[in-house]
């Protein structure tokens, strides 16, 4: 049997008011050289007629409706449940604002299949508008203070990150996970809504003994934050609140210092007259303290 078709892969693409990007992404996926895969589009409560347009464009694909904007975590969970219910061996989360190399999926599965302990694998990401410039070559932790670092960001690719290797995390932009991992740790935590949910998933997998591996010859080009560019400040709020939620779930010993640091940043913004930044920090801190998670109100 051909090693490359031993696993059934569901490619989950989440769409939210971005049908143009989604069409380009899906069309690139239709050229994948991996034969045992199925594309699933999840529409996350779009208001731009995405559902009608995508149904007309891709009648042969599964197109699910989330029932509302459930965020990155909740929307992808709809696709994840569908995939698990239909016999998926692997689930490939892929941002709708990406295009993929023909070998991107095959490369991921080859590595994932090579060791039963490998639970999550991910691609080398490039900028869509600068196709030789790296956006992500594996994720690592900066320990003081604890922050996720995207290795290789903004570097031209000269082969400096061409080794298959274990990393601390893979970004949800292009993340292949074994169904066995999800059965072990559960689906993505919906409280995050947006940002940090993929890092939280990686951390949970690692804590359960699964390896997380970067696969450089799986290449994906990303338009980078296309879905949130129209909402200035949204990333700040979620980053403040969700970083604290992540620490509460995985690194409780760092919570107090992180909270104090965020309060000081908030105060500095206020003193500098940067009212919007101060308010976003304040709201993130307040909602975390009150246990308000999910979508920003």
């Amino acid at each position: 049997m051909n090693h490359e078709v031993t696993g059934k892969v569901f490619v989950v693409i989440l769409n939210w008011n971005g049908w143009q990007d989604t069409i380009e992404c899906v069309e690139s996926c239709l050229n994948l050289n991996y034969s045992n895969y199925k594309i699933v589009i999840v529409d996350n409560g779009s208001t731009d007629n995405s559902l009608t347009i995508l149904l007309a464009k891709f009648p042969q694909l599964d197109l699910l409706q989330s029932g509302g904007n459930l965020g990155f975590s909740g929307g992808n969970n709809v696709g994840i449940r569908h995939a698990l219910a239909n016999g998926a061996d692997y689930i490939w989360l892929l941002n709708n604002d990406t295009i993929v190399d023909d070998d991107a999926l095959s490369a991921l599965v080859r590595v994932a299949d090579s060791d039963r302990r490998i639970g999550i694998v991910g691609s080398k990401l490039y900028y869509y508008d600068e196709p030789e410039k790296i956006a992500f070559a594996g994720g690592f932790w900066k320990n003081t203070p604890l922050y996720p670092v995207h290795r290789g960001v903004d570097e031209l690719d000269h082969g400096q990150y061409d080794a298959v290797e274990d990393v601390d995390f893979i970004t949800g932009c292009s993340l292949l996970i074994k169904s066995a991992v999800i059965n072990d740790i559960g689906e993505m935590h919906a409280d995050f809504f947006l940002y940090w949910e993929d890092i939280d998933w990686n951390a949970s997998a690692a804590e359960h003994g699964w390896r997380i591996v970067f696969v450089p010859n799986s290449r994906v080009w990303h338009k980078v934050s296309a879905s949130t560019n129209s909402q200035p400040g949204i990333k700040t709020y979620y980053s403040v609140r969700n970083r604290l939620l992540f620490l509460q779930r995985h690194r409780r010993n760092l919570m107090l210092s992180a909270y104090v640091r965020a309060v000081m940043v908030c105060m500095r913004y206020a003193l500098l007259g940067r009212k919007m930044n101060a308010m976003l920090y304040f709201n993130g801190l307040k909602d975390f303290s009150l246990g308000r998670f999910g979508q920003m109100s």
Side-chain angles (χ1 to χ4, degrees), residues 58-120:
F58 302 115
Q60 78 278 26
L61 302 183
D62 289 348
L63 205 161
L64 311 178
Q65 299 179 57
S66 67
N69 184 4
L70 306 182
F72 185 84
S73 50
N76 273 304
N77 283 341
V78 171
I80 289 166
R81 291 178 206 130
H82 174 81
L84 293 176
N86 286 277
D89 296 303
Y90 296 98
I91 296 168
W92 188 20
L93 298 189
L94 188 65
N95 273 24
N96 76 312
D97 58 344
T98 61
I99 60 169
V100 303
D101 182 69
D102 292 357
D103 195 44
L105 180 53
S106 296
L108 292 174
V109 175
R110 279 195 299 270
V111 172
D113 265 359
S114 68
D115 186 338
R116 57 176 294 276
R117 298 174 301 144
I118 295 176
I120 293 175

Side-chain angles (χ1 to χ4, degrees), residues 44-64:
N44 209 18
S46 295
T47 57
D48 67 346
N49 208 32
S50 278
L51 190 62
T52 300
I53 293 168
L54 293 171
L55 279 169
K57 181 68 176 178
F58 302 115
Q60 78 278 26
L61 302 183
D62 289 348
L63 205 161
L64 311 178

Side-chain angles (χ1 to χ4, degrees), residues 28 83 235 267 277:
S28 74
K235 184 172 183 178
M267 292 174 62
N277 295 89

Side-chain angles (χ1 to χ4, degrees), residues 59-291:
Q60 78 278 26
L61 302 183
D62 289 348
L63 205 161
L64 311 178
Q65 299 179 57
S66 67
N69 184 4
L70 306 182
F72 185 84
S73 50
N76 273 304
N77 283 341
V78 171
I80 289 166
R81 291 178 206 130
H82 174 81
L84 293 176
N86 286 277
D89 296 303
Y90 296 98
I91 296 168
W92 188 20
L93 298 189
L94 188 65
N95 273 24
N96 76 312
D97 58 344
T98 61
I99 60 169
V100 303
D101 182 69
D102 292 357
D103 195 44
L105 180 53
S106 296
L108 292 174
V109 175
R110 279 195 299 270
V111 172
D113 265 359
S114 68
D115 186 338
R116 57 176 294 276
R117 298 174 301 144
I118 295 176
I120 293 175
V121 293
S123 309
K124 183 188 287 184
L125 304 181
Y126 300 86
Y127 292 104
Y128 180 88
D129 292 329
E130 299 179 84
E132 297 300 320
K133 185 175 284 189
I134 297 170
F136 179 84
F140 293 89
W141 286 110
K142 175 184 177 183
N143 288 321
T144 311
L146 188 75
Y147 270 102
V149 175
H150 287 196
R151 183 179 62 173
V153 63
D154 291 338
E155 296 179 23
L156 289 175
D157 190 0
H158 300 298
Q160 64 271 45
Y161 306 114
D162 276 358
V164 174
E165 59 184 304
D166 288 66
V167 294
D168 292 333
F169 64 90
I170 293 296
T171 173
C173 179
S174 174
L175 180 154
L176 183 84
I177 184 169
K178 289 178 176 173
S179 295
V181 179
I182 304 173
N183 293 332
D184 189 18
I185 69 173
E187 58 191 30
M188 280 197 285
H189 202 297
D191 277 356
F192 287 92
F193 190 79
L194 188 66
Y195 298 116
W196 283 84
E197 66 286 284
D198 51 351
I199 298 174
D200 173 80
W201 220 21
N202 279 263
S204 293
E207 288 162 5
H208 282 73
W210 295 98
R211 289 176 59 196
I212 298 163
V213 177
F214 168 64
V215 183
N217 56 339
S218 172
R219 301 190 302 157
V220 172
W221 289 265
H222 186 208
K223 294 175 185 175
V224 184
S225 300
S227 62
T228 56
N229 283 341
S230 61
Q231 304 171 76
I234 191 171
K235 184 172 183 178
T236 299
Y237 166 83
Y238 286 117
S239 295
V240 171
R241 187 197 70 183
N242 290 351
R243 179 169 182 264
L244 292 169
L245 176 59
F246 173 87
L247 294 174
Q248 182 181 64
R249 285 171 51 78
H250 300 284
R251 307 284 181 90
R252 295 184 71 89
N253 61 309
L254 300 175
M255 274 187 60
L256 179 59
S257 61
Y259 194 95
V260 170
R261 181 183 176 87
V263 169
M264 292 175 63
V265 173
C266 179
M267 292 174 62
R268 184 162 67 246
Y269 279 137
L271 291 171
L272 292 172
R274 297 173 64 176
K275 295 181 181 179
M276 177 61 72
N277 295 89
M279 184 59 66
L280 290 164
Y281 259 79
F282 176 78
N283 286 340
L285 286 161
K286 179 185 69 174
D287 285 355
F288 171 78
S289 300
L290 295 175

